[in-house]
Amino acid sequence: MARTQGSHSDITGPRVRAAALRLFARHGFAAVSMRQIAAEVGVQAGALYNYTPDKQSLLYSLLKGHMDELLAAWDDEGAGGAPLDRLARFTRFHIRFNVERPDAIFISYMELRNLEPENFAVIERLRRAYEDELEHILRDGVAAGVFEVPDLKIATLAVIAMLNGVNTWYRPGGRLSLDEVQTMYWDMVRRAVGA
Amino acid sequence: MARTQGSHSDITGPRVRAAALRLFARHGFAAVSMRQIAAEVGVQAGALYNYTPDKQSLLYSLLKGHMDELLAAWDDEGAGGAPLDRLARFTRFHIRFNVERPDAIFISYMELRNLEPENFAVIERLRRAYEDELEHILRDGVAAGVFEVPDLKIATLAVIAMLNGVNTWYRPGGRLSLDEVQTMYWDMVRRAVGA
DNA sequence: GTCTATAAGGTGATAGAC
DNA sequence: GTCTATCACCTTATAGAC
């Protein structure tokens, strides 16, 4: 796989990002060297710096891209309907989105502490924006009398934590289909919020 | 704080463990050097090797000690009673135990991937044993007709994931007391399992 | 039990040839 | 755009003095 010389104005950039995502998820940001990433891509370490100014920016760019994609995807399919329908849609959306990109999800909450403060603040703000989407659904449901939760903020975090747990065990082709998993968690979420 | 010479058959060992726990939780195992740990304790790096054969053993020892303590604590106060009572006790126990030792909890699920395979297998087995405690409660409740869950294994993991979420936001002296948090989560857990 | 000194090797990042 | 070579530094772990 190793190249010896020559130009490749092709797809090296995306391959660098893909390799970094995979390795960061497997071993952790701090444990992965630029040389390891380069070896995975099939270039020498120096060549990576054509695609990122430094290692930190590479991590930030992966997390930022992931959060943008998450919010855009929910924006596409989350809008409208009664609170109960929106909560069902959120539950199924969140599970599907997460299990489709386990590496990005993993580093998005494991490597936050390795972001420099300004980068951390940006990602944190986006994470909050996503949480707020769920909180608004719950608030509307409580106002409409169809949900009953002990505390809006805590119910929001509890539901997200429960749904995030899926990624720790779900594997495509396992005992349960994605649809079955979504349905089971919807059952539990629905009950947890008193619907 | 730095010593210059002399013997200290005192409490250096525990201080090494405490410093390592704190630093691993803050920055991650791979990002923390033996020199940093030594500086925190107030000794030179070489002195650490009086207390651990290597860095990996230090991590393993922290995780193993934590899991032993968890299982022993639950063994002390978890036994007996009706499924509903046992589930309430598990919920409150799990939350209290977790918020009392955030650093140990954090590294126990963040640094598993940095354990060597044999060490990982041991910790994983203990984690399973703890999960099984909850699964047995749910099974007994379902058998008794007081719980209703979509799937025993999934309900177990969903409840634990939800409860683990507390550590991401709870701080002593915050808006809610520990008892209030325990009560709110018990509300949501009870409903999630159809009790 | 702690120190200093050191071995052996890995780290992120840059310079300049092609 | 990629290579090779290199800088300055940090890493884990050990040896031997005190």
Side-chain angles (χ1 to χ4, degrees), chain B residues 99-148:
Chain B
V99 302
E100 278 174 357
R101 35 183 82 65
D103 286 349
I105 296 294
F106 199 69
I107 70 169
S108 285
Y109 77 105
M110 297 288 265
E111 304 298 353
L112 287 175
R113 63 187 168 182
N114 284 307
L115 288 174
E116 284 164 6
E118 317 90 82
N119 291 340
F120 177 82
V122 175
I123 301 299
E124 189 65 4
R125 190 162 42 72
L126 295 172
R127 201 185 50 72
R128 281 290 178 109
Y130 183 64
E131 284 177 12
D132 285 348
E133 293 290 322
L134 174 57
E135 188 171 336
H136 288 153
I137 294 172
L138 295 183
R139 183 195 300 154
D140 291 350
V142 168
V146 294
F147 299 158
E148 185 190 335

Side-chain angles (χ1 to χ4, degrees), chain B residues 32-35 49 54-55:
Chain B
V32 172
S33 71
M34 295 298 269
R35 279 174 180 75
Y49 292 87
D54 52 36
K55 195 184 171 190

Side-chain angles (χ1 to χ4, degrees), chain A residues 63-109:
Chain A
L63 295 188
K64 176 68 162 58
H66 170 71
M67 291 308 301
D68 288 343
E69 194 184 4
L70 170 66
L71 287 164
W74 174 247
D75 211 48
D76 273 1
E77 46 182 296
L84 193 67
D85 290 338
R86 283 155 66 206
L87 184 58
R89 223 180 305 134
F90 182 91
T91 298
R92 300 183 77 88
F93 166 81
H94 188 88
I95 291 174
R96 177 180 58 73
F97 194 88
N98 277 23
V99 301
E100 278 175 356
R101 35 183 81 64
D103 286 348
I105 296 293
F106 199 70
I107 69 168
S108 285
Y109 76 101

